[in-house]
Amino acid sequence: MAPIVIGTRATPLARIQADLVARRLGELGVDTAVRAMSSQGDRSLGGSFAQAKGVFTGELTAALRDGSVDLVVHSLKDLPVEDEPDLVIAAVPERERPFDLLLFAPGLTTGREGRASEATPELASLLDAGEDAAGRSVAAAADAFAPLPPGARLGTSSPRRQAGALAIRPDLVCCAVRGSVGRRLEWLQSGAIDALLAAEAGVLRLARSGELDERAMDILGFRLNLRSWPCAPGQGALAVQVLRGGRLDGHAAMAALDHPPSRAAAFAERSLLGRLGGGCLRPFGAWADARGAGPEGPVLHEVHALIAPDDWREPAAVGEAPRAVGAAASAADGTVDLDALTERIERGLAELGAGLTAGALFSAGQKTRAPSPETPDLIVTSEPTTIRRLTRRLDPAVRVAALPATAVEVFDTAWPADRIDLNRPRRQWPWLLVSSPNAARVVAERAARELVWGRLPWCALGEGTARALLAAGVPPNLAARAFGGQEFARYADRVLDPHCPLFVPHSARGGTTLVEALEAAGRQVTAWAAYTVHPNDDLDWPQGWQAAHARVLFTAPSAVSAFAASGLDWPGSCWAIGAATAAALRSAGAGNVKCAQEPTAAGIERLWLDEAGAQPKVNRDPRETE
């Protein structure tokens, strides 16, 4: 028999996984050769644009179909749930640990204990501890995230992990850190991010193969409990895929390579995802435990699942915890029924959708009763979609009106895609610098049309910009804690390769100061005016409102400028999102200026409660919903 050609992705971890299968087949007396290929996902680094269906598997399955390889080795979690009629998963080898790890940057000052203390284990001890080890190596998800300081930058490109983390800690800023596991650990060690979520299976396989930097083994962190933090369906398991009806379909070596309990557990998790109509972008986690052997094979002992609604980014983008639905089933209650479990999850999602509340939004021209001190109303200088996100924590009886002070005009001109050179070494790829929330929306829309921009890594300037990208469905790869060009230049000098070009789309009314600071720091910058912000020339109070009684929330310095130019009287109470907007209000002569502590729905709620003297709404823990 000719040697079996094994196809795999070209990343270090994928090569290790293919070598594991090749070694096991060798033990069974089968000769093999490994052929590594680059996938579309490996060649792309940009946010959610890099996570479309099949980006990590398409090239491999194409090689399988054209006969270039005899079998391919995938991470099972990367395979689409839907069966492909001409392909079959011939074997699922024994599953590696399916846990997620939450790892902290070296020297991180935590919010609970000062520096991460000796109570937090090192990565080396986590990996040495067995899968069932109790004690300090395993933590409930809420306890593991508690030490992170407010506004910590969390590295993960997974919607499941992003939604799960923000359900526990809505103040976190998610960064879609991508690349190999080793590269992600480098980002963590550099301080570019404060914490990293990673699959233990991949980290463990790299460590066993000697592929991890020794310094990485000193990183502190926790292994997350699978009952409070279910893994991605199939996480830790490998899939050996062959052509249906081909020479390896039904081959004895494939049967010997298969581990029935691992197959049963992983396929139960994938079955739940399939029943819910989801793929890799669904914020869904499931962990199944299969033990023993019944008449038809291994029996499911317990199953735990957790899912967030598909609109989870709306609250998360303004710092509110996205709600989630958790469900579990155990053999102790009888046979684990996946259909019944699916029905419970779907019912919980439906209840979440019916239970969303927000302030009542009125159009600017709608007649309302005159405001009174007992029942004040709020005007927001933004468009309705943003307003709904910012005011969703307010009591529904609160009347909220839109007073759009500015409008964004996007220039219909070509962007300099011809200057993007992706033939550079990966570490020197160009970075797309997104400098404001307006730029975030413009860039996300452009990248949806011109995918080359989605392939670049993105860096957001500030938390507000990072959250605007999350709202657009494309969390940045990095979020710089910097205000202005000089601070960002120092950040880039510390984090990014000095040979990385920077692409900076900006407003025609600003952006040059940032570009000048970067160029003065020796950076190669390509900048262009991509849009402009116009003041609303027809700015006027909603019918029935009076300036002396009005409370107005200003969402940006440009809104302050537009309001000042309109000639309208300043409202009795001016609220600001952010220190820059508050400073602009004071400079323009506004009185009674109050600033939200954070640019979130919770921050707006606190301002409202301080003003109105009401009580906050009590939100259930999102993980209590079943």
Side-chain angles (χ1 to χ4, degrees):
M1 181 179 181
I4 291 176
V5 180
I6 300 174
T8 178
R9 289 165 57 192
T11 63
L13 179 56
R15 288 296 302 265
I16 289 169
Q17 293 173 169
D19 289 343
L20 290 173
V21 171
R23 190 177 309 119
R24 177 65 178 132
L25 288 174
E27 293 169 356
L28 297 171
V30 178
D31 292 333
T32 61
V34 176
R35 179 187 172 193
M37 291 170 278
S38 177
S39 75
Q40 179 187 346
D42 298 324
R43 296 190 298 272
S44 179
L45 287 180
S48 295
F49 296 110
Q51 297 187 49
K53 177 180 174 181
V55 294
F56 292 116
T57 61
E59 282 87 346
L60 298 182
T61 53
L64 189 58
R65 289 184 172 109
D66 68 21
S68 301
V69 299
D70 298 304
L71 66 81
V72 292
V73 178
H74 304 283
S75 290
L76 183 55
K77 66 182 178 63
D78 291 339
L79 278 180
V81 173
E82 302 87 357
D83 290 331
E84 299 188 68
D86 59 332
L87 304 176
V88 62
I89 298 176
V92 177
E94 186 170 3
R95 188 179 194 175
E96 193 51 88
R97 302 174 193 171
F99 301 90
D100 272 348
L101 299 176
L102 176 63
L103 304 175
F104 302 135
L108 176 72
T109 299
T110 68
R112 184 180 64 180
E113 302 172 333
R115 290 187 179 273
S117 71
E118 59 185 22
T120 310
E122 295 179 345
L123 178 58
S125 64
L126 282 175
L127 300 182
D128 286 342
E131 181 174 334
D132 297 322
R136 68 192 186 105
S137 67
V138 179
D143 293 335
F145 283 98
L148 287 173
R153 295 162 297 179
L154 175 67
T156 174
S157 61
S158 159
R160 170 185 67 88
R161 291 171 176 150
Q162 291 170 1
L166 291 169
I168 299 170
R169 287 285 304 274
D171 61 293
L172 299 178
V173 178
C174 290
C175 298
V177 175
R178 303 206 54 212
S180 67
V181 174
R183 180 59 175 147
R184 282 178 272 162
L185 289 171
E186 288 178 12
W187 284 123
L188 183 68
Q189 290 170 294
S190 75
I193 54 176
D194 301 304
L196 175 70
L197 280 167
E200 182 176 5
V203 178
L204 184 59
R205 286 170 178 145
L206 286 169
R208 286 173 177 165
S209 300
E211 293 287 337
L212 284 188
D213 187 315
E214 288 186 5
R215 295 174 301 162
M217 303 304 286
D218 296 330
I219 293 172
L220 303 182
F222 292 104
R223 174 187 290 155
L224 301 184
N225 183 289
L226 287 163
R227 293 177 177 85
S228 62
W229 186 270
C231 57
Q235 182 166 308
L238 302 180
V240 178
Q241 194 175 46
V242 303
L243 279 176
R244 188 177 298 277
R247 69 171 179 140
L248 294 182
D249 188 7
H251 193 283
M254 298 296 100
L257 193 61
D258 194 60
H259 185 252
S262 296
R263 176 186 283 269
F267 274 57
E269 297 161 8
R270 286 167 56 81
S271 176
L272 268 178
L273 178 58
R275 292 162 196 248
L276 290 166
C280 62
L281 296 183
R282 196 86 195 264
F284 174 74
W287 171 65
D289 180 20
R291 302 180 186 176
E296 298 180 359
V299 175
L300 291 177
H301 178 71
E302 59 180 317
V303 178
H304 294 263
L306 189 69
I307 188 170
D310 289 334
D311 65 353
W312 65 271
R313 288 185 179 88
E314 291 186 17
V318 290
E320 184 180 357
R323 294 190 285 178
V325 174
S330 171
D333 304 321
T335 304
V336 173
D337 187 337
L338 295 181
D339 286 329
L341 195 59
T342 302
E343 290 176 4
R344 289 173 56 199
I345 294 171
E346 290 175 333
R347 189 164 57 248
L349 286 173
E351 291 170 358
L352 284 188
L356 291 177
T357 60
L361 187 65
F362 285 74
S363 66
Q366 182 170 346
K367 186 175 181 178
T368 63
R369 59 186 173 83
S372 68
E374 291 75 28
T375 56
D377 292 307
L378 180 65
I379 301 173
V380 185
T381 62
S382 191
E383 44 84 28
T385 302
T386 300
I387 293 174
R388 288 190 181 93
R389 290 202 302 265
L390 287 172
T391 62
R392 60 186 292 135
R393 289 180 65 107
L394 300 184
D395 190 289
V398 175
R399 297 171 302 164
V400 182
L403 187 67
T406 60
V408 175
E409 177 191 354
V410 180
F411 298 148
D412 187 20
T413 56
W415 285 19
D418 58 321
R419 300 192 61 178
I420 296 175
D421 180 8
L422 299 184
N423 293 317
R424 293 169 172 260
R426 177 65 61 85
R427 292 171 187 264
Q428 295 178 12
W429 272 25
W431 278 75
L432 187 64
L433 175 56
V434 187
S435 56
S436 70
N438 279 333
R441 290 184 282 271
V442 171
V443 169
E445 291 174 3
R446 192 76 176 217
R449 301 195 310 271
E450 299 178 22
L451 297 183
V452 64
W453 300 101
R455 292 187 62 194
L456 298 183
W458 296 11
C459 183
L461 185 57
E463 178 182 339
T465 304
R467 291 191 180 278
L469 282 172
L470 179 67
V474 196
N477 301 94
L478 292 178
R481 289 199 191 103
F483 181 77
Q486 292 184 348
E487 284 189 11
F488 181 77
R490 289 193 290 270
Y491 171 87
D493 184 60
R494 179 171 58 85
V495 172
L496 302 180
D497 188 296
H499 299 98
C500 288
L502 296 176
F503 284 71
V504 188
H506 60 81
S507 168
R509 291 176 174 265
T512 55
T513 303
L514 170 64
V515 173
E516 289 168 358
L518 293 171
E519 289 178 336
R523 284 283 170 179
Q524 179 187 341
V525 181
T526 299
W528 65 97
Y531 63 96
T532 191
V533 179
H534 294 297
N536 183 352
D537 295 332
D538 298 322
L539 203 62
D540 199 2
W541 292 111
Q543 184 179 352
W545 293 66
Q546 300 175 17
H549 299 287
R551 292 175 173 85
V552 179
L553 173 63
F554 290 85
T555 54
S558 58
V560 176
S561 300
F563 189 93
S566 71
L568 294 176
D569 292 336
W570 287 106
S573 184
C574 296
W575 295 359
I577 292 184
T581 304
L585 281 167
R586 296 186 181 100
S587 178
N592 195 17
V593 177
K594 298 181 180 180
C595 184
Q597 295 180 3
E598 56 188 35
T600 66
I604 304 309
E605 181 190 40
R606 279 193 289 272
L607 267 181
W608 179 267
L609 297 178
D610 288 343
E611 184 99 350
Q615 295 297 316
K617 293 187 296 181
V618 177
N619 293 334
R620 290 186 63 189
D621 185 322
R623 294 174 185 270
E624 293 177 358
T625 306
E626 288 190 6

